[in-house]
Amino acid sequence: MANTETCLKEALASIEGATGVALVDYTSGMALGTMGGSKTFDLNVAAAGNTDVVRAKLRTMEHLGLKGEIEDILITLSDQYHVIRLLGGRSGNGLFLYLVLDAKRANLAMARHQLKRIEQDLEV
């Protein structure tokens, strides 16, 4: 098991094309930890905004009576991929990993696979 900082560092270093990563509490919208980003891409602002995405999807699932769990949400932009991976298990309730990828350098399937592995190692 690894702590938040170790997992965020691993995600940024081991996932090809990763430019930013955050652990986010979607009940409050606060980032519990961030790595990467840039002057023009504030991960804390992105974390808060993507909290609304997660909440909206959970509400929609509730209204539709869907019983499954969200594994991840993918948002594709012309030059970036944004992956929102909800954490499972007791310690992950209300948390998600948010990963920003450079679309030109990233392999989306591998990034999702590696993010799932990192989630399993994360101890919150």
Side-chain angles (χ1 to χ4, degrees):
M1 292 292 177
N3 67 20
T4 300
E5 183 178 353
T6 302
C7 284
L8 295 179
K9 282 182 182 177
E10 181 182 349
L12 204 54
S14 69
I15 299 175
E16 183 72 27
T19 60
V21 62
L23 177 65
V24 185
D25 177 348
Y26 65 79
T27 58
S28 69
M30 299 292 294
L32 305 178
T34 63
M35 291 271 169
S38 68
K39 291 179 183 177
T40 59
F41 193 92
D42 186 332
L43 280 166
N44 288 302
V45 172
N50 282 297
T51 293
D52 293 335
V53 172
V54 172
R55 290 177 186 162
K57 187 59 189 173
L58 289 170
R59 266 194 317 275
T60 301
M61 289 175 64
E62 184 179 336
H63 292 313
L64 292 171
L66 299 176
K67 301 296 182 203
E69 293 184 9
I70 299 171
E71 287 184 19
D72 47 38
I73 298 169
L74 172 64
I75 300 168
T76 59
L77 305 178
S78 58
D79 60 347
Q80 293 178 334
Y81 301 132
H82 295 230
V83 180
I84 300 167
R85 179 156 185 90
L86 276 67
L87 273 59
R90 291 181 310 161
S91 65
N93 194 21
L95 301 178
F96 67 87
L97 284 167
Y98 170 60
L99 178 66
V100 182
L101 300 162
D102 178 335
K104 291 180 179 85
R105 298 181 319 149
N107 178 323
L108 186 55
M110 284 302 297
R112 289 181 66 224
H113 176 74
Q114 289 173 285
L115 196 60
K116 182 178 181 178
R117 184 184 46 78
I118 289 167
E119 172 204 355
Q120 291 170 346
D121 291 341
L122 178 61
E123 184 176 302
V124 182

